[in-house]
Amino acid sequence: LTVSVNGVQRAKLGLGPGAELREAIVLLDSGSQGPLDIRLRCRRAASLAMLDSGDDDRLLGVFLRRIVVVAPEPYVIGRRLRLGGEGDPSCLFLTGWHEREEEGRWTDRVARLYLQVAEPPLDAELEFDALPYLGSGGDPVRFTVYAGRRRVARLSWAGPERQRGRLPIPRGAFDPDGGLRLTWRIANPRSPRSAGESADARTLGLMIESLALVGR
């Protein structure tokens, strides 16, 4: 599903057969004011007649339930955000996250998150507490972390216990308006079903419980 706003493509969202997107977030730039021309394009639209499922010959893409335009709350350096429970309005989950749980939120293969930082420091560090999913084999979870488009670390976490990452975030990773996009790219996510542990077919990388930006 491709989302364009005022003629500019803003996101490509994966949507498989029978799947659905809940609270999918598309970022607008700070200059997006006034009327918004929002266009959704589904490349594989089909009709029930084409699928031999009925007589309806309308091309159907997605069933849109609602659109809400919101502004994230400014994030203050040093504040620790809990990703579980009811969540925090300073943190926007873009793509690649499973449903929120009480302890935190599992990443899929590529998980992106957005913070609107009130006063970005010259240099900062990202602290995040996470639990790697090792599956029955116990192989380490390998992943790369990006700040903006900058790769800040390649990590390999073994052991089923909670671990803390502390990574440098250069000033150049922030957008001019203080926005910061953080990405966790998991090299070897796995599902409990493939590991023979349960019927859960979700691909899991890290259960991220909390995070904070701290000045250096």
Side-chain angles (χ1 to χ4, degrees):
L1 179 65
T2 300
V3 182
S4 298
V5 180
N6 293 345
V8 179
Q9 181 176 303
R10 290 295 176 190
K12 284 186 176 181
L13 306 175
L15 189 61
E20 63 179 285
L21 292 171
R22 294 184 179 180
E23 300 180 3
I25 294 176
V26 176
L27 287 179
L28 307 180
D29 61 35
S30 57
S32 297
Q33 300 178 1
L36 296 177
D37 177 10
I38 301 174
R39 303 192 180 193
L40 309 180
R41 181 182 181 186
C42 185
R43 293 182 59 188
R44 297 186 179 180
S47 69
L48 296 181
M50 292 169 58
L51 300 174
D52 294 327
S53 299
D55 297 329
D56 192 339
D57 59 0
R58 295 175 300 165
L59 288 178
L60 305 177
V62 295
F63 184 80
L64 184 63
R65 291 177 174 172
R66 66 172 183 162
I67 292 180
V68 180
V69 179
V70 298
E73 291 186 2
Y75 171 79
V76 179
I77 293 292
R79 179 182 176 187
R80 181 159 292 273
L81 302 180
R82 305 290 176 182
L83 304 194
E86 297 182 358
D88 193 294
S90 297
C91 176
L92 297 182
F93 299 97
L94 302 182
T95 57
W97 301 89
H98 293 294
E99 293 293 324
R100 186 179 288 123
E101 301 179 21
E102 188 60 33
E103 298 82 7
R105 200 158 181 174
W106 284 105
T107 71
D108 204 323
R109 183 174 298 275
V110 180
R112 295 184 172 91
L113 179 147
Y114 177 82
L115 297 175
Q116 182 66 53
V117 182
E119 296 182 6
L122 293 178
D123 287 290
E125 289 186 330
L126 168 66
E127 286 186 355
F128 65 97
D129 293 335
L131 185 73
Y133 180 68
L134 305 180
S136 57
D139 293 333
V141 172
R142 305 187 309 276
F143 61 99
T144 306
V145 182
Y146 296 83
R149 296 185 178 182
R150 301 185 181 210
R151 186 182 69 201
V152 295
R154 281 182 173 171
L155 301 172
S156 179
W157 281 7
E161 68 277 357
R162 179 186 300 105
Q163 302 184 46
R164 169 165 288 188
R166 189 176 178 104
L167 311 175
I169 306 295
R171 180 63 181 88
F174 293 87
D175 293 336
D177 62 356
L180 177 64
R181 295 167 176 82
L182 298 172
T183 303
W184 287 263
R185 185 178 295 272
I186 314 298
N188 58 335
R190 61 209 83 180
S191 70
R193 185 169 68 180
S194 67
E197 296 184 332
S198 72
D200 189 348
R202 297 176 302 166
T203 51
L204 308 177
L206 298 170
M207 161 67 84
I208 300 183
E209 299 178 350
S210 68
L211 62 87
L213 290 177
V214 296
R216 290 201 294 175

